[in-house]
Amino acid sequence: MERKDEAEEAKSKVSVIETWLRKHRLLYVGATRHPFIHSIRDGSVDISSFKRWLEQDYIFVRAFVPFVATVLLKAWKESFDATDMDVILSGMASLNDEFAWFNKEASKWGVSLTNVAPQKANLDYCRFLESLMSSEVEYTVAITAFWAIETVYQDSFAHCLEDGSNTPEELRDTCQRWGNDGFGQYCRALQSIAEHHLEKASDDVRKRTEAAVLDVLEYEVAFWNMSQGDT
Ligand SMILES: Cc1ncc(CNC=O)c(N)n1
């Protein structure tokens, strides 16, 4: 029956992002199950590593905000669906209270966030973000990279909150920041926006989007490596 075949076909159809997550599983696991994340999850994390991560991530988030602003601009220009802008704006809103969170967390650890020198892996990642801000970079590439950046943190820190984890009490707030269900829902909303645009994208845009996602995963691994101390 025609309808049944179509239904079968639709069910078996794997999304573009799902295909990439399977194809690049090793790299994805490397980014979301990094030894630094495992050390938080099993409670063996070296606090000086955590403090280094906190200082560096504050620098990253300051560069991330203008990147998200350009994704919003591209959404306004290239997307006809108002939900795109709503989801991106909600992401910007959470970034707004993220700075307050960093300042509170920094004072809790006696860490100063002013005049911290960005380390190489951080500079490289921020330069990559800047490259995505160019008007030459299509919305599909930018929104999918945005999804990947958020999802790595959501997946990593949610892992530290799962049953069986031994995350120290004083680090749970950090894990909750990105590991909470609300952030998970937000990442899924970003993924469905990215999927929607990837379905309609040309092969060329898809290829460049896949390359950008791989870049994000590699920069995230380098960022965790830097946090752990092997810059
Ligand atoms: C290195 C890195 N990647 C992703 C995130 C999560 N996005 C915004 O907070 C982050 N804070 N830092």
Side-chain angles (χ1 to χ4, degrees):
M1 237 174 47
E2 186 55 33
R3 240 192 330 283
K4 186 176 173 310
D5 291 353
E6 276 170 13
E8 280 309 304
E9 207 273 318
K11 214 162 34 183
S12 65
K13 194 162 166 29
V14 178
S15 76
V16 175
I17 286 182
E18 200 46 52
T19 307
W20 292 345
L21 290 176
R22 295 178 189 179
K23 181 177 167 187
H24 307 295
R25 180 115 203 92
L26 268 184
L27 184 50
Y28 183 78
V29 169
T32 55
R33 296 292 181 270
H34 189 276
F36 179 67
I37 288 298
H38 275 299
S39 73
I40 292 174
R41 177 184 160 90
D42 67 22
S44 65
V45 62
D46 177 340
I47 285 302
S48 60
S49 297
F50 175 79
K51 288 179 180 177
R52 184 183 307 115
W53 166 81
L54 190 70
E55 291 172 339
Q56 294 297 314
D57 207 48
Y58 177 71
I59 294 171
F60 175 85
V61 172
R62 297 206 66 86
F64 189 60
V65 172
F67 163 69
V68 178
T70 59
V71 178
L72 190 64
L73 183 69
K74 293 177 196 289
W76 173 68
K77 278 190 187 162
E78 295 186 35
S79 170
F80 307 104
D81 193 337
T83 48
D84 289 30
M85 285 185 75
D86 295 346
V87 173
I88 298 163
L89 268 175
S90 72
M92 289 198 92
S94 77
L95 279 172
N96 182 39
D97 58 48
E98 196 140 300
F99 289 126
W101 179 84
F102 269 99
N103 284 306
K104 182 172 64 65
E105 198 67 16
S107 57
K108 170 177 152 186
W109 295 99
V111 162
S112 159
L113 294 177
T114 50
N115 55 56
V116 172
Q119 299 203 7
K120 186 182 177 321
N122 203 352
L123 285 171
D124 294 346
Y125 201 170
C126 293
R127 205 172 301 120
F128 170 69
L129 281 183
E130 203 156 346
S131 73
L132 293 178
M133 296 186 204
S134 150
S135 54
E136 307 294 304
V137 173
E138 290 91 344
Y139 174 57
T140 300
V141 178
I143 189 73
T144 310
F146 181 33
W147 158 77
I149 294 167
E150 301 286 56
T151 291
V152 165
Y153 263 44
Q154 207 288 320
D155 201 332
S156 296
F157 287 112
H159 185 55
C160 300
L161 298 170
E162 283 163 358
D163 295 345
S165 64
N166 194 27
T167 302
E169 194 45 45
E170 64 273 17
L171 299 183
R172 291 190 68 81
D173 192 39
T174 295
C175 298
Q176 278 294 346
R177 169 111 217 116
W178 290 281
N180 70 74
D181 292 344
F183 198 76
Q185 266 175 311
Y186 158 66
C187 289
R188 283 189 292 281
L190 284 177
Q191 182 169 346
S192 64
I193 292 171
E195 294 284 18
H196 171 75
H197 292 280
L198 281 164
E199 279 305 307
K200 299 184 299 180
S202 66
D203 281 349
D204 172 48
V205 166
R206 283 191 187 183
K207 231 194 317 294
R208 283 191 280 113
T209 302
E210 184 177 7
V213 169
L214 295 185
D215 286 338
V216 164
L217 297 176
E218 281 157 12
Y219 284 117
E220 288 288 349
V221 170
F223 200 92
W224 295 131
N225 289 343
M226 166 199 69
S227 304
Q228 215 159 12
D230 43 332
T231 35

